[in-house]
Amino acid sequence: MTLSEFRGVYPAMTTPFHEDGSIDFETLRADARRLADAGVDGLVPVGSTGESATLSHDEHIEVVEAVVDAVDVPVIAGSGSNNTSEALSLSRRSADAGADGLLLISPYYNKPEPAGMYEHYRTIADEIDLPQIVYNVPGRTGQNITVDTTVDLAAHPNIVGYKAASGDLNQVSEIVERTRDEEFAVLAGDDGLTLPILSVGGRGTISVVANIEPERTVDLVHSALDGDFEHARERHHELGPLMRALFWETNPIPVNEAMAIRGYGPGHVRLPLTRLSEDLRPDLEAVLADLDPLEAEP
């Protein structure tokens, strides 16, 4: 996998479950093929949206293997942990399973100092020879990765990307500015900020909404990357209601429900998550109904 491939749309895939909580691998493979056929630039299984927190390590790798086997697009496996040795093990096993790259959430709960944050990522990057994306999502981890730490990490040859899910556009803009001389791709991690992040030099998105509307998301992102921001804005506003609806409750509860409404998956989640509140389902159905089918270009 080359740096040029860290450009465009990478759906943060859901993990479909049967009613008994076991993984629905048939639906998983079909979903991977659906997204690849829609023109996405790669897939990201077993991240936060894929409920990695409730998968066993063996299940984690089985999901990666299933997606790798199903498609010919790059697969970036979520393999982070708050335990460096555990993240290293998951990263090594993901590489062995055929992943083309790694998405590494920052250590949660521990709250390391910047030096510890740097050493966590450096340790994995030194050991695993795959392109790696630093994932900053302080709303889940309880801690922000500083700009200085991110810039230092960007100098490592295996750390070639950053998923920005802090909601802080000023921070993202500074990271883009200070890594322009590095082979380093900043990717949006908040759907509502995809277009603004592209406008300051971001190269794509790891997206939740792309699970439901992959063609529109691809059109939005690639239009912006090609300089057609007027068309990209049209797509951004068209997708805006769905982007917001997918975060009415904790991700990935709404996106799994939307998958079920569209017939893409069963909609089940694992405890401690539960199904979307019943009073919200008609509103989600209405948002989805307002989006006419959009066919992928041949």
Side-chain angles (χ1 to χ4, degrees):
M1 186 176 183
T2 63
L3 175 70
S4 63
E5 292 172 309
F6 275 131
R7 181 182 188 274
V9 174
Y10 301 83
M13 294 184 68
T14 63
T15 301
F17 299 111
H18 294 291
E19 192 170 1
D20 66 2
S22 61
I23 297 171
D24 183 345
F25 285 101
E26 182 179 355
T27 297
L28 175 67
R29 294 184 186 94
D31 192 47
R33 290 190 289 268
R34 173 182 67 87
L35 294 169
D37 289 346
V40 301
D41 298 275
L43 296 171
V44 183
V46 289
S48 302
T49 306
E51 296 183 69
S52 58
T54 58
L55 299 182
S56 71
H57 289 186
D58 287 343
E59 287 176 325
H60 186 114
I61 300 306
E62 288 168 359
V63 169
V64 174
E65 289 173 338
V67 174
V68 168
D69 289 344
V71 296
D72 292 324
V73 299
V75 175
I76 304 166
S79 60
S81 172
N82 67 326
N83 178 334
T84 304
S85 63
E86 185 174 277
L88 184 58
S89 174
L90 279 172
S91 297
R92 185 175 288 114
R93 292 182 67 185
S94 295
D96 291 342
D100 299 289
L102 304 173
L103 175 67
L104 295 154
I105 194 168
S106 64
Y108 39 88
Y109 189 79
N110 311 62
K111 291 193 172 182
E113 296 300 320
M117 190 77 76
Y118 176 85
E119 289 299 325
H120 171 83
Y121 282 108
R122 183 199 60 77
T123 297
I124 299 166
D126 282 351
E127 292 289 331
I128 310 295
D129 191 21
L130 280 181
Q132 295 166 35
I133 299 172
V134 173
Y135 178 13
N136 187 33
V137 56
R140 285 190 181 269
T141 66
Q143 191 170 32
N144 182 58
I145 305 174
T146 68
V147 173
D148 288 344
T149 299
T150 304
V151 172
D152 289 343
L153 289 169
H156 196 292
N158 282 338
I159 299 176
V160 296
Y162 172 85
K163 179 181 177 182
S166 68
D168 186 342
L169 188 58
N170 285 327
Q171 175 178 282
V172 175
S173 182
E174 184 178 352
I175 289 168
V176 172
E177 176 186 336
R178 293 176 60 185
T179 59
R180 284 179 295 175
D181 295 332
E182 303 284 353
E183 293 187 344
F184 194 71
V186 173
L187 305 172
D190 293 314
D191 282 316
L193 289 181
T194 293
L195 184 57
I197 287 173
L198 292 169
S199 76
V200 298
R203 298 187 187 177
T205 179
I206 297 177
S207 168
V208 176
V209 76
N211 285 290
I212 308 301
E213 287 288 337
E215 294 91 353
R216 281 184 168 89
T217 308
V218 168
D219 192 31
L220 186 165
V221 170
H222 282 276
S223 294
L225 290 172
D226 292 341
D228 188 354
F229 278 90
E230 182 176 355
H231 183 72
R233 278 194 299 272
E234 291 178 5
R235 286 287 184 230
H236 169 80
H237 291 303
E238 188 177 12
L239 285 170
L242 180 58
M243 290 175 177
R244 293 186 291 274
L246 294 183
F247 290 87
W248 283 341
E249 293 185 341
T250 301
N251 179 51
I253 292 172
V255 69
N256 272 282
E257 201 69 34
M259 295 278 282
I261 292 168
R262 281 281 178 91
Y264 300 148
H268 302 300
V269 291
R270 278 186 174 174
L271 287 171
L273 299 183
T274 53
R275 293 291 289 264
L276 187 74
S277 299
E278 289 187 10
D279 61 329
L280 290 176
R281 198 175 199 275
D283 295 333
L284 181 57
E285 290 174 340
V287 169
L288 291 168
D290 283 342
L291 290 165
D292 295 327
L294 184 70
E295 298 296 330
E297 293 185 8

